[in-house]
Amino acid sequence: MFRNRIFASPTGHQALTLEGFVTPDVIAYYERKAVGGAAAVTVGEGVVDSRRGKGGKWHVTLDDPRGSFPLHRLTDAVMRHGAVAAVELQHAGMFANRDLSFQGASAKGPAYGPVECELDGRHILPMTEELILETIEAFADAALFAKQCGFGMVTVHGGHGWLISQFVSPFVNTRRDRWGGSVENRARLPVAIADAIHKKCGASFPVEMRISGSECHAAGYGLDEGIALARQLDGHVDLIHVSAGSHEVQEVFTVTHPSMFLEDGVNVKYAAEIKKHVKTPVATVGALSDPALMEEIIASGKADVVQIARGLIAEPDLPNKARTGRDGEIKHCMRCLHCFSTLISDGQFYCAVNPETSRELEVKMTPPVKDRKRVLVAGGGIGGMQAALTCAQRGHEVILCEKSSRLGGTLRCEEHVPFKKKLDGYIEYQIRELGKAVVDVRLNTEVTPELAEELAPDVIIASLGARPVVPKIRGIDGAHVLGAEEAYISPDNVGKRVAILGGGLVGIELGIYLAQQDRDVTIIEMLDALNDGGNNLHMIGLKNEMAHYSIGVNLNTKAVEINDNGVICQDPEGEKLFKADTVIYAVGQRALSDEAAALRYCAPEFYMIGDCTVPKNIAAATSAAFTVARDIGC
């Protein structure tokens, strides 16, 4: 019994032991989704063959009985809140053991003869008949182990380029035996796995299978093959989970994990088409966080279940808020891919808008406030708003001062950018929350030492932000030269040909915005690479958009002078002119640290957060504000 049709799609938290056993942090991460009202909570990346099937170093081990006790703790934590605990069964096939190749590990795939892997030069050997049968048994054994640990369902990962999709693909699978050739033969492996799980676990134990409805690139299969695969699975699985894309093809990474440049529910079309051809219930996934859209998907028959991954990282309470009619209180995922990038770099899902994600256990253990204090927050940007909200939620008396006429800080300059509508929505969400909280908001009010003395706070949190750096280049004061903020606010003042100085996120995103308005854009960067600001996966989406709009990128290129014709630059080949009607600088930010430090001795407690310390990003400002505010009065 599932309490609704919203499932928490598998996300593979990597705070595991070296053996691949879950830790209290992992348990708390999945439990929080159950508390929020999801009907099923799926643990990601459970490997069925830890010797031959690991796609990386950090997977939940499902073939080691020593992992049963922590998994029992996890399933209990999820199911006691009314959700069904599920686990994803995965085998990387020909992409296994890449991180472990130094240990002499190998990998096997569906094709006959050694295949040269373009990623690391390994030789991939074909799976023998005996090994295929062993692998089917490994999936079934892993499912039985999961059931014994308290899981109520398994999700077999048959998409995105892993083992099963390698067998299904007519391009990767070149076998001539009963496992290759026709669609019936290529689908024999997932069908056999599903049947083996049902045989071992019982017909009443649900088997969900994720597939790529289309691989969405020229060298992969299309929707017709996705439909054919689903028809083979029909009646053998209990839920067909239709995703899209392949993890090994960079240009479709941001289709599998839709970027901010794609519309909400961009991949629903694949599930909707497949549903026309099968009787088995169908699930859809990708860029879903709007309850109205999800309701329409279900009501119109496009899918039977909606799966959410990043949307529940940003807002684990989404199902409960939707059920109780509090749609306006839902914090929507911005699809910035910060969470996925930090999973790779830090092993944690750190969310730009939800500072509790991957800190669930820490939050549960936060002591209550012992000493209620009067807190003055200087600055109403991203960090300042979060600090004020957290302090108010903790019971402190809060005054929030913003020297301009609006809350939101410098990011308000992007409010009309189409692909930043989720960011603007987040800022408006925070403003609404401040309106409901007990916070004294004072606009057009700059915090000075004199004002601080008058207000007599116990605590000052300085969140003054940063201001753009103006490069020292001859001609920078020309009438046709703008800062990035000015260009965002008044794009009509930007000419047809644009040269942007700076290849960081600000310059790149501005370039895409202007290119969408039919400007001819060139980006000029002194360094030898574009700067992703620590979010390398967002950069994949940016590069796709730059290619789409034919944005020129010039690396190792230093601007030396701006004149009426454009920008004179120096590159390894010498001096050249980049013609431009408008030159825009986006070369970095200067932290307002001196201005913030002027308030240091105006209260017994003083904290600096956000860009006025070191200019970083939304996630850094949000998490620092949340943490500092939570510590006050303990």
Side-chain angles (χ1 to χ4, degrees), residues 525-594:
E525 169 57 47
M526 291 175 56
L527 300 178
D528 59 0
L530 297 173
N531 184 358
D532 60 24
N535 191 338
N536 63 310
L537 299 182
H538 178 47
M539 182 59 80
I540 294 175
L542 293 176
K543 287 182 176 179
N544 289 343
E545 296 300 306
M546 286 191 287
H548 177 73
Y549 290 105
S550 301
I551 294 175
V553 176
N554 300 272
L555 303 175
N556 297 304
T557 303
K558 181 180 180 180
V560 295
E561 182 181 351
I562 300 171
N563 60 31
D564 292 340
N565 296 318
V567 186
I568 299 174
C569 296
Q570 189 77 32
D571 69 8
E573 298 178 0
E575 192 172 275
K576 64 174 61 174
L577 171 69
F578 291 90
K579 294 183 178 181
D581 304 311
T582 302
V583 178
I584 301 172
Y585 57 87
V587 296
Q589 300 280 317
R590 178 185 69 84
L592 296 178
S593 51
D594 292 341

Side-chain angles (χ1 to χ4, degrees), residues 28 60 114 165 385 428-429 526 529 536 583:
V60 177
S165 61
M385 289 193 292
E428 292 296 331
Y429 165 88
M526 291 175 56
N536 63 310
V583 178

Side-chain angles (χ1 to χ4, degrees), residues 263-597:
E263 67 271 17
D264 289 358
V266 62
N267 293 334
V268 172
K269 55 183 176 285
Y270 302 113
E273 191 59 36
I274 283 173
K275 184 165 170 55
K276 298 174 184 177
H277 299 271
V278 297
K279 296 179 181 178
T280 302
V282 170
T284 187
V285 68
L288 297 172
S289 66
D290 179 4
L293 173 59
M294 293 187 283
E295 186 69 24
E296 188 276 330
I297 290 168
I298 299 298
S300 63
K302 294 184 179 72
D304 303 286
V305 170
V306 287
Q307 302 256 359
I308 310 177
R310 287 174 292 166
L312 292 180
I313 290 175
E315 179 57 275
D317 292 320
L318 189 157
N320 283 342
K321 289 181 177 180
R323 178 180 176 84
T324 53
R326 295 180 288 147
D327 291 16
E329 297 179 23
I330 292 173
K331 190 182 297 184
H332 292 277
C333 169
M334 296 193 301
R335 302 212 294 272
C336 64
L337 288 166
H338 181 82
C339 59
F340 209 152
S341 288
T342 56
L343 178 71
I344 294 172
S345 63
D346 304 346
Q348 316 286 331
F349 288 109
Y350 289 134
C351 178
V353 300
N354 181 7
E356 295 188 30
T357 295
S358 286
R359 301 181 180 96
E360 293 85 1
L361 188 61
E362 181 182 331
V363 170
K364 287 174 67 176
M365 298 171 66
T366 301
V369 171
K370 297 178 182 178
D371 186 9
R372 184 172 179 268
K373 300 197 176 187
R374 182 177 174 87
V375 181
L376 172 60
V377 180
I382 295 296
M385 289 193 292
Q386 183 63 56
L389 281 170
T390 303
C391 283
Q393 290 161 359
R394 298 278 286 161
H396 298 293
E397 179 188 356
V398 184
I399 302 170
L400 171 61
C401 294
E402 165 56 42
K403 71 176 183 179
S404 74
S405 61
R406 309 174 73 195
L407 294 173
T410 58
L411 290 177
R412 295 311 294 262
C413 71
E414 301 179 10
E415 63 185 318
H416 299 301
V417 178
F419 55 85
K420 288 299 185 77
K421 63 181 180 180
K422 301 291 186 184
L423 169 59
D424 190 57
Y426 168 62
I427 293 172
E428 292 296 331
Y429 165 88
Q430 293 288 77
I431 293 172
R432 288 196 303 272
E433 291 299 298
L434 283 168
K436 293 183 291 186
V438 184
V439 176
D440 180 0
V441 178
R442 303 184 185 186
L443 301 177
N444 300 303
T445 303
E446 182 177 2
V447 176
T448 62
E450 293 75 21
L451 179 62
E453 182 179 358
E454 176 187 335
L455 295 175
D458 302 305
V459 182
I460 291 178
I461 300 176
S463 181
L464 301 185
R467 297 304 301 149
V469 171
V470 180
K472 296 180 180 180
I473 300 172
R474 187 183 307 163
I476 194 67
D477 56 352
H480 64 308
V481 181
L482 303 173
E485 287 183 30
E486 300 171 81
Y488 269 125
I489 294 170
S490 303
D492 291 342
N493 294 338
V494 177
K496 174 66 175 177
R497 291 180 302 179
V498 183
I500 296 178
L501 308 183
L505 293 182
V506 173
I508 295 169
E509 290 177 351
L510 175 60
I512 293 170
Y513 174 51
L514 294 174
Q516 290 176 338
Q517 299 185 37
D518 201 29
R519 304 304 204 281
D520 182 5
V521 178
T522 296
I523 294 174
I524 298 168
E525 169 57 47
M526 291 175 56
L527 300 178
D528 59 0
L530 297 173
N531 184 358
D532 60 24
N535 191 338
N536 63 310
L537 299 182
H538 178 47
M539 182 59 80
I540 294 175
L542 293 176
K543 287 182 176 179
N544 289 343
E545 296 300 306
M546 286 191 287
H548 177 73
Y549 290 105
S550 301
I551 294 175
V553 176
N554 300 272
L555 303 175
N556 297 304
T557 303
K558 181 180 180 180
V560 295
E561 182 181 351
I562 300 171
N563 60 31
D564 292 340
N565 296 318
V567 186
I568 299 174
C569 296
Q570 189 77 32
D571 69 8
E573 298 178 0
E575 192 172 275
K576 64 174 61 174
L577 171 69
F578 291 90
K579 294 183 178 181
D581 304 311
T582 302
V583 178
I584 301 172
Y585 57 87
V587 296
Q589 300 280 317
R590 178 185 69 84
L592 296 178
S593 51
D594 292 341
E595 292 84 343

Side-chain angles (χ1 to χ4, degrees), residues 21 228 284 301 408-409 627:
F21 304 156
T284 187
T627 303

